[in-house]
Amino acid sequence: MTETVVLETERLRLREFTAADVDLFVELDGDPEVMRHLSFEATPRDEVEAKLLPKILQQYREGPLGTWAALDRATGEFLGWFELTPTPDRPGEAELGYRLRRATWGRGLATEGSLALIDKGFGEWGLSRIWAETMSVNAGSRRVMEKAGLRYLRTFHVHFDDPLPGTEHGEVEYALTREEWLRARG
């Protein structure tokens, strides 16, 4: 099967997921540290098969935005995923997201992939605004957003019936507009 590559960076290759990637998703979401700021629970295999992957595959048909498998460009090893997903109620905007294996943390890969997607989003896909959210206590993800050029906008609080540790500190939103991106490029 031929893989559909969306973009490549110095160290990453982002390709479309396939129905055969269930095990990669399950393994990634099975690491409690990877899921610490999301749920602390592994995503069940049947949910990956019945909901997550079908939704991702549908995004490709609606294109160009979506969620892509991140591979090590040198070895082909699965590292996690990146996404730029549409904001349905705000045309021209997209949410940036990423989830990487713990073994890859601290190597700048999240920033590298985010920067490449931001460039593609504004440059090729004509987006007007890219935003991201995380728990306020997720310092690693916040650093990635800042290094990728997004700026802090606000802290807000969401009610959860079963809140994660740190929820009391709120969620944070970061964003970057096309105009800001263009100014930063000089």
Side-chain angles (χ1 to χ4, degrees):
M1 173 188 275
T2 304
E3 66 179 30
T4 303
V5 175
V6 174
L7 67 84
E8 291 184 325
T9 68
E10 181 181 337
R11 299 178 292 167
L12 297 170
R13 173 177 291 117
L14 270 55
R15 67 152 172 89
E16 290 184 356
F17 275 103
T18 69
D21 290 327
V22 171
D23 290 337
L24 299 176
F25 246 102
V26 171
E27 178 194 349
L28 179 66
D29 285 10
D31 183 337
E33 280 301 301
V34 169
M35 300 301 285
R36 179 172 43 149
H37 295 106
L38 300 165
S39 70
F40 266 124
E41 297 177 6
T43 306
R45 181 181 192 82
D46 62 335
E47 185 176 332
V48 172
E49 290 175 328
K51 293 180 184 173
L52 290 178
L53 271 178
K55 179 180 176 185
I56 288 170
L57 299 177
Q58 177 62 35
Q59 288 174 337
Y60 301 147
R61 291 186 285 277
E62 296 167 3
L65 303 179
T67 304
W68 303 281
L71 308 177
D72 181 297
R73 200 166 155 191
T75 67
E77 175 189 7
F78 175 76
L79 304 176
W81 56 256
F82 287 87
E83 67 180 359
L84 261 183
T85 54
T87 307
D89 57 337
R90 295 179 286 189
E93 295 190 16
E95 181 179 12
L96 173 69
Y98 37 82
R99 188 175 304 166
L100 297 173
R101 286 181 166 169
R102 189 175 359 161
T104 70
W105 295 357
R107 295 175 33 203
L109 294 170
T111 302
E112 184 176 321
S114 295
L115 283 166
L117 271 179
I118 288 167
D119 286 350
K120 192 167 185 86
F122 287 132
E124 184 178 327
W125 295 332
L127 294 173
S128 59
R129 182 175 180 267
I130 294 173
W131 58 277
E133 292 178 357
T134 191
M135 289 180 72
S136 182
V137 296
N138 189 346
S141 192
R142 291 182 75 169
R143 274 193 305 277
V144 169
M145 292 174 195
E146 290 165 1
K147 288 180 180 179
L150 280 71
R151 62 183 170 78
Y152 168 81
L153 293 182
R154 66 184 178 123
T155 300
F156 60 99
H157 295 271
V158 178
H159 171 76
F160 296 98
D161 290 334
D162 188 17
L164 296 173
T167 299
E168 67 275 12
H169 300 288
E171 302 282 316
V172 291
E173 179 183 3
Y174 284 72
L176 180 66
T177 65
R178 179 177 175 71
E179 292 75 25
E180 292 166 334
W181 174 77
L182 286 168
R183 273 196 305 274
R185 295 173 60 88

